[in-house]
Amino acid sequence: QLQLVESGGGLVQPGGSLRLSCAAVGVTLDLYTIAWFRQAPGKEREGVSCISSSSGSRNYADSVLGRFTISRDNAKKMAYLQMNGLKPEDTAVYYCAAGSAALGTCRSRLSTTSSWSIWGQGTQVTVSS
């Protein structure tokens, strides 16, 4: 069974940067589409970014476009979310998720949590001065 282990969350000042990491454990990562979601208190889980199995397609929520960059290294079984220009409204628990690459494109799947079969434990990102 694929498991995802996250790291990299923490406290950062507005305008700062963080890089979240997601390590795959148990199986190879190359057959899976990877996404990052986030959930702030009192809000629904929101799709942030998605990357296809071979990195050929990447999508971002409008709220993070131009500031966040998703990447992956299948050989290392790792996925990343580089977050620059962080804002207080980025404060949330961030989750990485994996789903079969056969279930649809990143663009369509980022709008829902239902097509993602594996979730990381979540890592807290707090943006505050």
Side-chain angles (χ1 to χ4, degrees):
Q1 174 72 291
L2 174 66
Q3 294 183 340
L4 303 175
V5 181
E6 298 166 319
S7 62
L11 175 65
V12 65
Q13 294 190 92
S17 298
L18 285 173
R19 188 178 76 158
L20 306 183
S21 298
C22 180
V25 179
V27 299
T28 58
L29 192 60
D30 57 296
L31 297 180
Y32 293 88
T33 300
I34 301 295
W36 288 93
F37 287 75
R38 66 186 181 186
Q39 188 166 21
K43 299 181 65 177
E44 295 183 352
R45 194 165 296 187
E46 172 192 21
V48 176
S49 186
C50 181
I51 186 168
S52 62
S53 60
S54 59
S55 301
S57 180
R58 297 186 289 183
N59 294 96
Y60 300 92
D62 289 343
S63 59
V64 306
L65 186 65
R67 298 188 296 120
F68 291 10
T69 303
I70 191 170
S71 61
R72 65 191 295 166
D73 186 334
N74 289 342
K76 295 181 178 180
K77 299 182 179 181
M78 297 288 293
Y80 308 95
L81 184 68
Q82 178 67 45
M83 305 185 295
N84 299 326
L86 284 163
K87 304 175 181 179
E89 50 263 44
D90 294 319
T91 296
V93 177
Y94 283 71
Y95 302 87
C96 61
S100 173
L103 295 180
T105 64
C106 276
R107 191 169 189 170
S108 63
R109 297 171 67 182
L110 196 58
S111 62
T112 180
T113 61
S114 62
S115 67
W116 306 95
S117 59
I118 305 296
W119 293 84
Q121 81 284 359
T123 184
Q124 177 70 48
V125 173
T126 302
V127 184
S128 176
S129 59

